[in-house]
Amino acid sequence: MTTLRTLLWFALIAAAMVAAVWLAERPGDVTIEWHGWRMDTSVGVLLLAVAMIAALCTTLYGVARWLRHAPGSLIGSWGEGRRRKGYRALSQGMVAVAAGDSGEAQKLARQAEKLLDEPALTLLLSAQAAQLAGDREAARRYFNEMLEDEELAFLGLRGLLMQALRDGDPTKALGYAERAFALRPDTPWVVRSLFDMQARAGKWLDAQKTLQSGLKSRLVDAERGRTLDALLLVERSRAAERSGGDMDAMENAKAAYGLAPERVPVAYRYAELLLKRDEARKATRAIEKAWAVAPHPDLAQLYLSALGEKDPVKRVQALTRLTASNPDELESHVALARECLEAKLWGEARRHLTAAGGKRPVVRVCRLMADLEEAEFADGEKVRHWLARAADAPGDRQWRCTACGAVHERWQAVCDSCGAFGTSQWRAPDPVAGEVTRDEPPGKAVIVAPAEILPPER
Ligand SMILES: [Zn+2]
């Protein structure tokens, strides 16, 4: 390379010398006259002057170019290195968060904050690092700052929502969930959390709207949506009755019954209100219809009080009518056995209890057998035998939360142990495979996929 350049230089000098000799051999004068100025010179001097001016211009142009670009590119490459270091600190910080190393995460968050002049990018890491270190106040501050950035607002809301839930502040949490829903109404955990929170707060109408939105975006399947809607209507009916709106109470109960007559609380609510309005015939018909799909002791009791029958034998006859649509069902046998005991129809009572018990009678059946032995024969030994069997009989049907498994004495719209809505069902323990179970509630730690925190493409 150097040799080639040297050769080129020699060639150039040689050419210049040849040109100089050529010019010296051919002398000539040049006279320039311009605005009263006059200059006499030789052709050689003129050409030399032109060459020098050209060289000077080229040099000046080069210096100007260097001045314009060089400092810029110097600063540029320095800034690029800084940014790269910043992003490295950011991604290593996320790894430290995932690994649960709070000290390292906080150190890297501070580094990233210093190196990257984009607070929006480092906020999430700083918030998570603070959360990991147990500094709730700092985490809340960072999450709040995230709300000001359009792209990070949703993540900020999620962080604040989780924090409010952990702080046991449902009102604040509901506010954040509403804002998150406004930003992204199609995000499953947002719809689920908002629905549960609205139901927990007794905002039945709002919960219904969230449910409708979830149905529209296919986050809730139609079957489950129908049941939840009916249960929300039952709660709206109760709320209306409490505030003196009897008409609304009836309308909501009727709409609920139209949607899901197979849910005990729905059928019970409708029949109960019909009875309150002295529409006993309609009430008994509604209960008879419900018994075929949702038999329950409370419905049997409501049926008997709708008829207002006091005579024990006639009460047995009434229950025989009620249970005719579902005669082999455990609840039918148990309801009839109870009334037969009251009517002293021992044989019938025993027949129903034997039919209900099968090989392993449940607790209720064992206790009723003990009552029967006591009432019919006063047989202490048999009574003790049945009470002993009751003690380790298979679990009976009860109101159980399908989300957390808690057992409640009465039906609850919102489970008081896990806060889920519409999960209370009348059934035996150990749910049969394939039955409706709820999805996991939103996770406890705010772990965000790296894709969500990477800088946008440049
Ligand atoms: Zn529960």
Side-chain angles (χ1 to χ4, degrees):
M1 205 60 208
T2 331
T3 348
L4 193 69
R5 203 174 288 169
T6 320
L7 279 174
L8 260 170
W9 270 111
F10 272 117
L12 268 173
I13 291 165
M17 280 168 73
V18 169
V21 170
W22 188 82
L23 280 170
E25 280 173 356
R26 290 167 186 76
D29 292 324
V30 178
T31 300
I32 299 170
E33 264 189 22
W34 187 64
H35 284 267
W37 291 79
R38 187 194 158 95
M39 193 172 76
D40 290 313
T41 185
S42 67
V43 173
V45 171
L46 179 72
L47 282 178
L48 192 67
V50 168
M52 280 174 72
I53 290 169
L56 190 68
C57 283
T58 313
T59 313
L60 280 176
Y61 176 72
V63 169
R65 246 179 84 98
W66 184 81
L67 277 176
R68 205 168 60 234
H69 293 288
S73 60
L74 268 182
I75 290 170
S77 68
W78 179 67
E80 195 54 49
R82 216 178 137 78
R83 193 150 50 215
R84 209 170 300 136
K85 271 189 210 159
Y87 286 141
R88 199 179 307 136
L90 193 64
S91 50
Q92 284 172 347
M94 295 311 291
V95 172
V97 167
D101 186 347
S102 68
E104 184 71 4
Q106 278 188 308
K107 197 183 89 192
L108 288 161
R110 274 195 298 274
Q111 261 181 31
E113 227 171 293
K114 225 180 282 170
L115 291 167
L116 291 172
D117 190 23
E118 291 173 80
L121 287 177
T122 51
L123 274 173
L124 181 64
L125 175 59
S126 304
Q128 290 188 315
Q131 217 172 24
L132 203 59
D135 188 348
R136 304 156 88 81
E137 204 35 64
R140 186 175 301 120
R141 207 173 51 241
Y142 287 125
F143 284 134
N144 266 310
E145 277 180 54
M146 283 163 78
L147 298 188
E148 281 153 38
D149 184 274
E150 205 181 309
E151 283 175 36
L152 287 177
F154 184 73
L155 286 177
L157 282 171
R158 182 185 164 123
L160 288 168
L161 168 63
M162 299 301 167
Q163 202 138 319
L165 284 178
R166 255 171 269 170
D167 291 347
D169 189 340
T171 317
K172 259 193 186 163
L174 177 59
Y176 292 132
E178 277 166 355
R179 287 171 68 182
F181 181 74
L183 285 179
R184 292 196 190 176
D186 292 346
T187 307
W189 73 262
V190 173
V191 175
R192 208 160 48 217
S193 317
L194 181 62
F195 178 82
D196 278 353
M197 283 181 211
Q198 284 167 331
R200 235 169 284 169
K203 298 189 165 192
W204 314 117
L205 192 59
D206 289 348
Q208 257 185 312
K209 285 178 192 158
T210 306
L211 178 64
Q212 290 312 320
S213 163
L215 280 166
K216 217 180 282 170
S217 48
R218 292 170 190 266
L219 293 175
V220 183
D221 73 276
E223 181 62 18
R224 178 146 181 79
R226 181 179 62 86
T227 315
L228 288 175
D229 205 13
L231 295 174
L232 285 169
L233 282 165
V234 166
E235 291 312 302
R236 276 180 66 192
S237 164
R238 283 190 216 284
E241 192 186 22
R242 276 195 298 272
S243 54
D246 283 356
M247 284 286 284
D248 280 350
M250 188 63 211
E251 244 167 61
N252 287 325
K254 193 175 177 181
Y257 185 74
L259 280 174
E262 78 283 4
R263 293 300 295 256
V264 177
V266 173
Y268 191 91
R269 178 67 189 155
Y270 180 50
E272 175 187 50
L273 282 183
L274 283 171
L275 207 56
K276 197 181 161 194
R277 282 161 50 139
D278 289 328
E279 297 187 56
R281 268 204 65 75
K282 260 192 176 175
T284 52
R285 248 181 288 144
I287 298 171
E288 280 162 10
K289 199 178 139 197
W291 195 270
V293 281
H296 187 274
D298 290 352
L299 284 176
Q301 287 310 307
L302 193 64
Y303 188 76
L304 290 173
S305 61
L307 291 172
E309 192 57 70
K310 293 280 182 286
D311 179 68
V313 177
K314 284 191 176 156
R315 282 165 72 90
V316 171
Q317 286 167 352
L319 280 190
T320 309
R321 266 202 313 281
L322 171 68
T323 56
S325 61
N326 210 349
D328 299 326
E329 166 59 36
L330 171 78
E331 302 300 341
S332 297
H333 287 304
V334 169
L336 273 163
R338 270 187 215 283
E339 286 309 315
C340 287
L341 277 174
E342 293 295 317
K344 299 189 169 49
L345 300 172
W346 313 127
E348 271 299 281
R350 193 175 295 274
R351 187 178 71 79
H352 284 299
L353 289 175
T354 311
K359 282 192 180 123
R360 294 199 67 202
V362 292
V363 183
R364 272 183 298 169
V365 172
C366 294
R367 294 222 176 104
L368 285 170
M369 281 302 278
D371 290 348
L372 175 63
E373 297 298 352
E374 172 70 39
E376 190 179 3
F377 302 116
D379 187 336
E381 200 178 316
K382 281 206 170 137
V383 171
R384 277 192 298 282
H385 161 80
W386 280 110
L387 289 179
R389 276 191 78 167
D392 75 358
D396 211 342
R397 288 180 191 172
Q398 275 169 304
W399 287 113
R400 277 171 218 281
C401 171
T402 54
C404 71
V407 173
H408 305 297
E409 201 172 319
R410 316 216 121 261
W411 181 78
Q412 293 183 347
V414 176
C415 171
D416 63 12
S417 61
C418 75
F421 176 83
T423 49
S424 191
Q425 288 190 18
W426 180 251
R427 63 184 193 191
D430 303 320
V432 186
E435 265 184 297
V436 187
T437 48
R438 279 173 62 83
D439 294 331
E440 282 283 296
K444 277 186 179 153
V446 192
I447 299 291
V448 179
E452 287 187 73
I453 57 127
L454 285 181
E457 289 285 333
R458 275 157 212 281

